[in-house]
Amino acid sequence: MSSVLRPLPIGNAGGSIINLREHNLSRMLAALVSSGPLSRAELASRCGLGVSALTKLIVELRERDLVVEAAEIAPPGMGRPISPIKLAGHRWALVGLMLDRRSIGMSVGMLDGTVISFEELPVPETTGIEAYLPYLEAALERAAGRCHGDGRRILAVELGIAGAADSGAGEVVRSIVNGWSRFPLRDAVRGMLSALPRGVAGSFLVRMDRETNYAMLARLHRPGAADQGRTAAYLGGRYAVSGGIFSRSMVEHGFSGLAGEFGHVVVDPSGRQCWCGRRGCVETRLGLAGLYERCSNREGYGNLATLAAERARMIEELLNLADEGDPRVLAELDDAGQWLGITVDTVAAVLNPQDFIVDGYIARLGRYVERPARRQLDSIGALPSISALRFRFEDGSEQPLHRGMLLAAAQAIAAEPSVATA
């Protein structure tokens, strides 16, 4: 797969009735995941279905416990009350696991991406993926037990990776912070789920992606919005610069799942050497480690494991020093903002996005880097790719990452509704 939500095949002559039915069920679920509850008329219009066909498909989705009819509501103005169709929440559960070096962030939620519970499970310092797997298996068992206790069964699991991941192949390409490379993680997790007792997990979907893509998905998900199909660029990361690309209602992954790694776009060929081995990457100008070392006159934060563990303290220290008016910190943050503007201009010239979202630790520093970034963009003149760009900062919170995993799981079910059996 090349995206979080795979393009759905259009039924054509020669296709089976079963395939056409599953295709239409998929379109209906995708509309509900994207927009939230819809009336029958709205759902029929969005999916291009007649009322009779829609009614039969709703019955099938209800039999699979994927949708329910909400309580009647009165529409604005005159008209009969309607009972919107919405995603069900009583039988199936979604699980998101963010796999960090020293912890596993476990979120459990419903088909609409709502987070029911979140728990951070500690992991002792390990070396290599093989030593990590028993803790991952224990987290899956814990999630399954929690779901079973609530009367739900796991239907989809998403795995968030700090680093490079090939979502189509289900493989960790490289996670420097975790010390992993070239490991078929998706197949390993499928094996763990298959070993769970019957009644806890049945048929299920397992997928994985870079953590930044999940955070982007959550930031862009706005039920009922008219521009769900817009193109957006995302610049985030919890402690190192990363990014993502969203186009045609999908996360774009590229050939091997690494599209959107804006942190390693070279913007200053004669600049500093990056930890990736190249020189002048965006990371060398905007990376938290470099910013902190230059502002604090301390070294040793280029190690990603140390950086991941210390990020919250480092960000707070930078903000405190800036708030106190430390001239060196203010100058460094102003310079970082200028390079952020250069990065936005570079990415926008290539992708021509409608939205450019800044998130993660860079957004946490937003009150000091946003103004110089906008000043840089204003100083170089507006290309057509920039003139209509909606450039905005989020709050930098890490919570959207977990909701994004559940939204991706919901989109996976919409793409393959046959995973839920009546």
Side-chain angles (χ1 to χ4, degrees), residues 109-393:
M110 299 191 296
L111 293 183
D112 62 357
T114 300
V115 179
I116 300 172
S117 65
F118 174 78
E119 188 174 0
E120 192 158 352
L121 308 174
V123 176
E125 189 74 23
T126 58
T127 303
I129 184 66
E130 295 295 341
Y132 194 93
L133 291 179
Y135 300 99
L136 175 54
E137 186 170 15
L140 286 168
E141 291 173 353
R142 188 175 181 86
R146 181 182 291 276
C147 296
H148 187 60
D150 292 337
R152 295 184 176 90
R153 296 173 66 185
I154 295 175
L155 193 56
V157 174
E158 293 281 340
L159 307 167
I161 306 301
D166 186 338
S167 59
E171 181 182 67
V172 177
V173 176
R174 184 179 66 172
S175 176
I176 294 177
V177 67
N178 287 354
W180 306 342
S181 64
R182 295 298 174 186
F183 183 80
L185 184 63
R186 182 177 61 197
D187 289 344
V189 170
R190 282 175 174 166
M192 295 174 189
L193 285 168
S194 298
L196 292 174
R198 291 191 64 183
V200 176
S203 299
F204 46 77
L205 298 173
V206 180
R207 300 193 314 167
M208 56 183 287
D209 207 344
R210 296 187 299 122
E211 60 173 280
T212 323
N213 283 336
Y214 289 125
M216 174 179 66
L217 191 62
R219 292 301 193 188
L220 289 170
H221 184 72
R222 294 184 294 172
D227 57 351
Q228 294 284 357
R230 65 195 184 282
T231 297
Y234 176 92
L235 190 71
R238 293 181 294 163
Y239 44 82
V241 183
S242 187
I245 304 168
F246 187 86
S247 179
R248 298 168 296 170
S249 301
M250 299 183 295
V251 174
E252 296 288 353
H253 286 94
F255 173 68
S256 59
L258 306 182
E261 279 291 5
F262 304 136
H264 298 288
V265 172
V266 174
V267 291
D268 183 17
S270 61
R272 305 177 182 96
Q273 187 168 21
C274 181
W275 53 260
C276 74
R278 305 200 299 171
R279 188 172 293 277
C281 296
V282 171
E283 176 71 24
T284 65
R285 292 294 185 170
L286 291 179
L288 179 58
L291 272 175
Y292 184 79
E293 289 182 347
R294 294 192 296 274
C295 290
S296 66
N297 204 26
R298 302 174 193 167
E299 297 182 354
Y301 290 88
N303 180 288
L304 287 186
T306 301
L307 185 59
E310 296 287 325
R311 65 185 184 276
R313 180 193 61 78
M314 294 163 66
I315 294 167
E316 287 303 317
E317 187 174 334
L318 288 176
L319 287 172
N320 289 337
L321 289 170
D323 291 344
E324 292 168 1
D326 186 301
R328 177 168 57 177
V329 174
L330 291 174
E332 285 290 348
L333 292 177
D334 189 84
D335 184 67
Q338 179 181 357
W339 284 101
L340 173 60
I342 292 170
T343 303
V344 171
D345 179 66
T346 301
V347 172
V350 175
L351 298 181
N352 188 207
Q354 184 177 359
D355 293 277
F356 198 111
I357 300 166
V358 178
D359 202 4
Y361 75 87
I362 301 174
R364 291 284 309 281
L365 303 171
R367 62 180 180 266
Y368 293 106
V369 301
E370 180 175 3
R371 184 176 297 176
R374 293 187 182 278
R375 185 178 66 225
Q376 171 65 24
L377 289 172
D378 291 341
S379 72
I380 56 181
L383 287 172
S385 58
I386 291 289
S387 58
L389 182 68
R390 299 191 300 209
F391 176 40
R392 76 173 192 264
F393 280 65

Side-chain angles (χ1 to χ4, degrees), residues 59-76:
V59 169
E60 184 158 351
L61 289 174
R62 289 178 62 183
E63 289 175 348
R64 299 187 193 188
D65 290 320
L66 289 172
V67 305
V68 294
E69 288 193 76
E72 285 190 347
I73 60 173

Side-chain angles (χ1 to χ4, degrees), residues 9-68:
I10 302 299
N12 51 36
S16 72
I17 294 176
I18 293 176
N19 287 341
L20 179 60
R21 186 178 72 246
E22 289 295 316
H23 170 68
N24 287 330
L25 293 174
S26 180
R27 294 169 68 188
M28 292 168 64
L29 288 173
L32 294 171
V33 170
S34 173
S35 301
L38 296 170
S39 69
R40 288 174 180 253
E42 290 171 328
L43 193 55
S45 174
R46 292 186 183 224
C47 299
L49 297 169
V51 175
S52 176
L54 181 82
T55 300
K56 293 178 181 178
L57 293 169
I58 288 175
V59 169
E60 184 158 351
L61 289 174
R62 289 178 62 183
E63 289 175 348
R64 299 187 193 188
D65 290 320
L66 289 172
V67 305
V68 294

